[in-house]
């Protein structure tokens, strides 16, 4: 189990994490939360149904990482978009992005909370703790791991076409190396967590 998820009897998954791994995962999830944004707090006395129908942005985010997390619908980034598809994409974004942001925020918060619940008692310098997730928490973790990998891939300028073969041979003094190591580690966590969810 060290370092990667394994299925547990009765459903769910478990992974052994040392304090450094726990700290890295928590830090990445908090950074993701900061990037996604805090969301709109309900106003006292406001109709709760009104929030459900609130319109979101109609334009893609300028930050390439956010654009990866909230991609254009109907528009192929490799070709020249036409005006009709751009209008349809803007309309789709207006009515879906707020909900998508909320889900991504809730997933990342779930990750942070589950890691915080693992915090060892003061003065405990043990080798690590075992994180156990039920099926719902596993799906939330899977969403956040995917979002973290997309964000890091954007920062490293990795596209689907490029692959990541060249990342394995970066010299140790390359400033991208820590991000590459996190990207590859998160990939292993994501892959093994998917395996635990398969029937």
């Amino acid at each position: 189990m060290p370092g990667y998820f394994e299925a547990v009897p009765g459903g769910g998954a478990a992974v052994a994490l040392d304090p450094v791994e726990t700290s890295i995962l928590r830090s990445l999830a908090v950074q993701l939360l900061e990037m996604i944004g805090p969301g709109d707090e309900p106003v006292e006395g406001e109709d709760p149904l009104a929030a459900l129908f609130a319109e979101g942005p109609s334009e893609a985010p300028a930050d390439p990482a956010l654009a990866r997390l909230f991609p254009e619908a109907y528009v192929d980034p490799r070709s020249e978009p036409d005006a009709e598809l751009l209008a349809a994409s803007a309309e789709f974004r207006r009515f879906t992005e707020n909900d998508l942001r909320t889900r991504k925020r809730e997933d990342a918060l779930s990750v942070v909370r589950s890691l915080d619940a693992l915090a060892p008692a003061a003065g405990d310098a043990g080798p690590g703790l075992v994180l156990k997730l039920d099926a719902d928490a596993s799906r939330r973790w899977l969403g956040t791991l995917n979002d973290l990998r997309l964000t890091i891939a954007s920062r490293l300028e990795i596209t689907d076409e490029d692959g990541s073969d060249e990342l394995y041979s970066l010299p140790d003094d390359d400033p991208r190396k820590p991000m590459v190591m996190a990207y590859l580690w998160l990939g292993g966590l994501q892959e093994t967590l998917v395996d635990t969810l398969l029937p």
Side-chain angles (χ1 to χ4, degrees):
M1 180 184 331
Y4 293 108
F5 283 98
E6 292 182 2
V8 294
V15 61
L17 298 170
D18 66 33
V20 172
E21 292 169 329
T22 303
S23 176
I24 290 169
L25 280 168
R26 189 185 189 287
S27 175
L28 290 172
V30 167
Q31 289 176 57
L32 179 65
L33 282 165
E34 290 170 354
M35 190 175 72
I36 291 171
D40 296 326
E41 291 296 319
V43 177
E44 190 174 325
E46 182 180 295
D47 178 4
L49 288 177
L52 290 175
F53 298 104
E55 293 183 11
S58 59
E59 294 185 14
D63 181 334
L66 282 173
R68 276 302 269 279
L69 295 178
F70 306 102
E72 294 279 13
Y74 314 120
V75 176
D76 183 348
R78 297 166 297 190
S79 62
E80 191 67 32
D82 78 16
E84 193 173 312
L85 289 178
L86 283 174
S89 182
E91 188 76 357
F92 183 80
R93 181 180 295 280
R94 278 186 17 193
F95 294 107
T96 61
E97 186 170 312
N98 284 348
D99 288 342
L100 186 55
R101 279 183 185 266
T102 297
R103 185 181 56 81
K104 289 179 182 295
R105 191 178 304 111
E106 288 172 354
D107 288 352
L109 274 171
S110 174
V111 168
V112 170
R113 288 178 182 136
S114 61
L115 291 169
D116 285 349
L118 277 181
D124 182 5
L129 297 166
V130 175
L131 173 70
K132 294 181 181 175
L133 305 173
D134 62 21
D136 182 58
S138 293
R139 284 188 287 278
R140 288 182 177 276
W141 266 76
L142 192 56
T144 296
L145 289 171
N146 186 60
D147 289 344
L148 290 172
R149 290 195 79 232
L150 286 173
T151 300
I152 294 173
S154 174
R155 299 297 187 229
L156 292 170
E157 299 181 350
I158 299 170
T159 64
D160 292 339
E161 294 80 26
D162 292 338
S164 57
D165 293 341
E166 73 280 0
L167 298 178
Y168 292 99
S169 58
L170 284 178
D172 288 341
D173 60 351
D174 191 302
R176 298 172 297 167
K177 186 78 172 202
M179 263 204 306
V180 168
M181 298 306 293
Y183 177 78
L184 297 173
W185 175 54
L186 291 169
L189 287 173
Q190 183 180 17
E191 185 178 341
T192 57
L193 184 52
V194 167
D195 289 344
T196 70
L197 294 171
L198 295 175

